[in-house]
Amino acid sequence: GEESPFLQEVLSEPWRLSTSQTPYGQGTHTDVRKFPDRISAGGGFGPVADDGYGVSYIIAGEDNIFFHVSCKNGCTHTDSRKFADDIAAAMQDIKDLFTDD
């Protein structure tokens, strides 16, 4: 194969944000609009870097998105609660873009 200086540099950087979508298996078994209290938020995973975040998300039907945000408690400059609040604010900003006032 060919060597790629770009890929060598990029892949050697620490992964401070690790994200993945968690599959949503209830979609065909439960009407989430009729039974919103039966939605499971699923599970998450941890960060892959000591100073990073692990973020999993689940799109549950047309009206629900769940996020699981984690970081290591020993890192003084990560804060999973603040990061989750920032994600919630960004989602509200996106919603506002598509909502008529």
Side-chain angles (χ1 to χ4, degrees):
E2 293 206 26
E3 294 294 320
S4 170
F6 170 77
L7 286 178
Q8 286 178 347
E9 182 178 340
V10 169
L11 295 177
S12 69
E13 294 290 323
W15 292 66
R16 289 194 176 87
L17 179 60
S18 179
T19 66
S20 184
Q21 180 179 4
T22 305
Y24 180 65
Q26 296 172 301
T28 59
H29 303 291
T30 303
D31 182 344
V32 296
R33 289 189 176 153
K34 190 173 181 183
F35 302 104
D37 59 329
R38 296 187 187 167
I39 298 172
S40 169
F45 55 89
V48 296
D50 288 340
D51 60 346
Y53 293 93
V55 179
S56 67
Y57 57 95
I58 302 170
I59 300 170
E62 294 292 321
D63 302 317
N64 296 293
I65 300 176
F66 295 96
F67 290 91
H68 292 263
V69 180
S70 63
C71 66
K72 293 189 176 183
N73 288 335
C75 183
T76 59
H77 58 274
T78 57
D79 182 337
S80 59
R81 185 173 308 275
K82 181 182 179 320
F83 194 33
D85 289 344
D86 291 344
I87 291 171
M91 296 301 292
Q92 184 63 51
D93 289 346
I94 292 168
K95 181 180 178 183
D96 291 346
L97 288 172
F98 295 97
T99 304
D100 294 329
D101 287 339

